[in-house]
Amino acid sequence: MLTRWQPVIGDPTWQGWATVLVYLATMGLALAAASRTRPAATQGRERTFWLITALIMAALAVNKQLDLQSALTAAGRCLAQAQGWYDRRRPVQIGFLVGLAVLALLFLVILRKLLRGSLSRNLLPIFGLVFVCAFVLMRAIGFHHADRLLGLPVLGLRANTALEWIGPVLISLGAVRLLRSGGR
């Protein structure tokens, strides 16, 4: 039952590579948005937000094919089996999910404070960033029931792909809106 992580391409399908491109395109738009923030009162904080967003998108593009969350899942399984609590892992997984929810809320509070004065301009990318980070971390847990659901088709894509694209799309829409407004 022990599964081991191998440093190989995590999702060699067209959808996997398209997701990498989605992350990279979103990174590019975030960098463009960082360079175009205008209001002097919020410029530094907004630029910081967009640079952090670009960095996260770059990390997720790399992670998509290195599948580092699977390494985390395999390490957790290995630890649970070695310590003899693998059959009682559900409460740990649920605790991890609750922890993720708390972290996501904390992240929203930090972003709200960072972006005070420009929150309305950045609401879409904030939700997109929180969504994509929570989704990737949730996938690291490796619930087998969720894995089966994520493989189901949605509009010609795997549900996993459709859900994974939601965050970058929201971020991209926010960046495009900021770029079209001239950074105002």
Side-chain angles (χ1 to χ4, degrees):
M1 180 118 200
L2 181 64
T3 59
R4 298 190 190 284
W5 176 77
Q6 298 281 333
V8 296
I9 299 298
D11 187 356
T13 67
W14 75 267
Q15 289 182 45
W17 287 110
T19 300
V20 170
L21 293 175
V22 166
Y23 283 134
L24 292 175
T26 303
M27 178 195 72
L29 286 168
L31 288 173
S35 70
R36 295 284 297 268
T37 56
R38 288 278 161 78
T42 62
Q43 184 178 22
R45 293 190 313 265
E46 280 188 85
R47 182 171 287 132
T48 299
F49 166 73
W50 284 108
L51 290 173
I52 289 169
T53 299
L55 183 64
I56 290 170
M57 292 299 107
L60 289 173
V62 170
N63 178 64
K64 179 62 183 173
Q65 293 304 25
L66 288 183
D67 207 15
L68 297 175
Q69 73 272 8
S70 292
L72 178 65
T73 302
R77 272 194 203 110
C78 185
L79 181 67
Q81 288 176 340
Q83 293 180 350
W85 53 271
Y86 184 79
D87 292 336
R88 299 177 311 280
R89 69 190 179 281
R90 233 14 116 211
V92 174
Q93 289 175 321
I94 291 168
F96 192 74
L97 273 178
V98 168
L100 288 178
V102 168
L103 284 175
L105 287 174
L106 181 62
F107 191 45
L108 273 174
V109 168
I110 291 168
L111 287 175
R112 183 173 180 252
K113 184 172 179 128
L114 177 70
L115 296 171
R116 67 187 176 279
S118 64
L119 196 58
S120 63
R121 281 193 305 274
N122 294 295
L123 209 51
L124 270 178
I126 287 170
F127 283 122
L129 191 58
V130 169
F131 186 92
V132 75
C133 289
F135 176 77
V136 169
L137 290 173
M138 183 207 60
R139 292 284 292 137
I141 296 171
F143 281 122
H144 298 296
H145 304 299
D147 288 342
R148 278 186 247 135
L149 289 174
L150 292 174
L152 295 175
V154 174
L155 302 171
L157 299 170
R158 293 184 312 249
N160 179 68
T161 302
L163 286 170
E164 193 165 4
W165 288 2
I166 289 172
V169 165
L170 291 174
I171 294 166
S172 295
L173 289 172
V176 166
R177 188 173 73 176
L178 181 90
L179 293 168
R180 283 192 175 163
S181 73
R184 288 176 250 119

